[in-house]
Amino acid sequence: MNKDSNVYTIVYASVLVVVVALLLALTSEALRERQSQNEAVDKMRQILTSIKVESTNENAKELYNKIIIDAFLVNKVGDRVDGSAFDTELVDELNKPEAERCYPIFVADVNGSTKYILSLRGAGLWGPLWGFISLDEDKKTIYGASFGHAGETPGLGAEIDKPAFSNQFAGKKIFNTQNNFTSVAIVKPGKTDSSRDYVDGISGGTITSQGVDAMLFSSLEAYKSFLIKE
C-alpha cells in the first residue's frame, strides 16, 4: 500500500485507535477490582471521620468492622428494609420516585455510646458534594461530620473537607425545642440565625456554603421519619 496515500493514512489511524482503545479497556478491566476496593476503603474512612475516628488506608477496614456495629436501610416512613447500606448510594436513591427510595444508616459504638451515621448528598459550585453526619443516641444532636467534594475551588469552597469547617457541627441540634426539624444553617462568617443552630460558612466560598446548607437540609429531612421514630 502506498504510504503516501490517503487510504493508508486512514487505515493506519483506524488500526491505531482500535489498538489503543483495546489496551485502555483491558487496563480498566484489570484495575476494576482494585478501584472498587480503594473506593470502599475511602468510604469507610469518611464514615469513621464522621465519628471522629482517625484511620489510614491500611487500618480503615479493621476499624470499620470493629466500630460499626450495624448498617441498614430505611424507607421514607423510617421502617427498616432489606438491602446493603454500604453498597447503597444516596445519589442513586434520590433519583428514584420518593416511595421507592431507601436511605443508608450506619450505627457505631464509640466508647460505649451509640452514634447514628447518615449519608449526605448535594451540589456545590463546580460539582457534587457529599458527606456523612453522625448523631448522638437522641438522634437530634450532631456528634461529628465529614464532607467531600468533586472540584470546589482550592482555598475557598474546597475548605469544606477541612476539620476547621466540619468540627463546628459538634453539639448542634437538627430539631428545635418544639421538636420541629430545622437542620443546621450555614451562615456567612460573623452572621447569625436566630431560628436554628448554625455554623460559619467558608469565607469566599458562598455558593459552596449554600450548597452544603441545602445538602444538609434535604438529606437530613429525608431521614426525618426514622429520626422521630421511637
Side-chain angles (χ1 to χ4, degrees):
M1 184 179 292
N2 183 1
K3 294 184 177 179
D4 294 327
S5 67
N6 291 334
V7 173
Y8 176 83
T9 301
I10 293 172
V11 170
Y12 180 84
S14 298
V15 171
L16 187 62
V17 167
V18 170
V19 170
V20 171
L22 182 60
L23 289 174
L24 289 174
L26 291 173
T27 301
S28 175
E29 188 61 29
L31 296 175
R32 186 182 301 279
E33 183 176 351
R34 181 179 298 181
Q35 183 181 17
S36 297
Q37 292 174 349
N38 289 341
E39 289 174 351
V41 168
D42 182 64
K43 187 172 184 176
M44 290 176 187
R45 294 191 65 185
Q46 292 179 50
I47 291 171
L48 291 170
T49 299
S50 75
I51 49 174
K52 308 175 186 178
V53 174
E54 294 186 3
S55 64
T56 65
N57 288 342
E58 289 71 31
N59 68 7
K61 186 174 182 180
E62 178 184 354
L63 288 172
Y64 179 90
N65 290 333
K66 178 182 178 182
I67 298 172
I68 304 302
I69 58 176
D70 197 6
F72 55 91
L73 297 172
V74 295
N75 58 19
K76 71 170 188 174
V77 295
D79 292 334
R80 191 163 175 158
V81 296
D82 292 336
S84 168
F86 192 84
D87 295 330
T88 297
E89 296 294 342
L90 185 60
V91 65
D92 296 330
E93 296 303 308
L94 295 177
N95 288 326
K96 298 178 181 177
E98 186 176 6
E100 299 176 11
R101 295 175 189 169
C102 295
Y103 306 102
I105 295 174
F106 305 87
V107 184
D109 183 334
V110 180
N111 299 321
S113 178
T114 299
K115 308 297 179 189
Y116 295 96
I117 304 165
L118 313 180
S119 184
L120 310 171
R121 190 77 184 197
L125 175 59
W126 302 113
L129 305 176
W130 59 85
F132 294 93
I133 203 156
S134 63
L135 303 175
D136 285 330
E137 197 163 1
D138 65 359
K139 301 182 189 175
K140 299 175 181 176
T141 308
I142 294 176
Y143 176 70
S146 65
F147 300 101
H149 61 87
E152 298 308 291
T153 308
L156 297 174
E159 295 298 300
I160 62 169
D161 64 3
K162 301 293 191 302
F165 178 68
S166 58
N167 287 348
Q168 299 181 84
F169 288 84
K172 303 299 182 185
K173 303 282 187 181
I174 61 172
F175 288 85
N176 62 19
T177 54
Q178 288 76 44
N179 210 28
N180 295 318
F181 173 73
T182 58
S183 185
V184 172
I186 313 296
V187 302
K188 288 185 177 180
K191 301 293 184 181
T192 62
D193 188 329
S194 60
S195 64
R196 52 182 175 156
D197 280 3
Y198 63 90
V199 302
D200 288 340
I202 301 298
S203 181
T206 301
I207 296 179
T208 305
S209 297
Q210 292 172 344
V212 175
D213 185 289
M215 174 176 72
L216 283 167
F217 194 94
S218 61
S219 297
L220 294 177
E221 187 180 37
Y223 287 97
K224 187 170 67 175
S225 296
F226 167 77
L227 297 175
I228 63 177
K229 189 180 285 287
E230 296 293 336

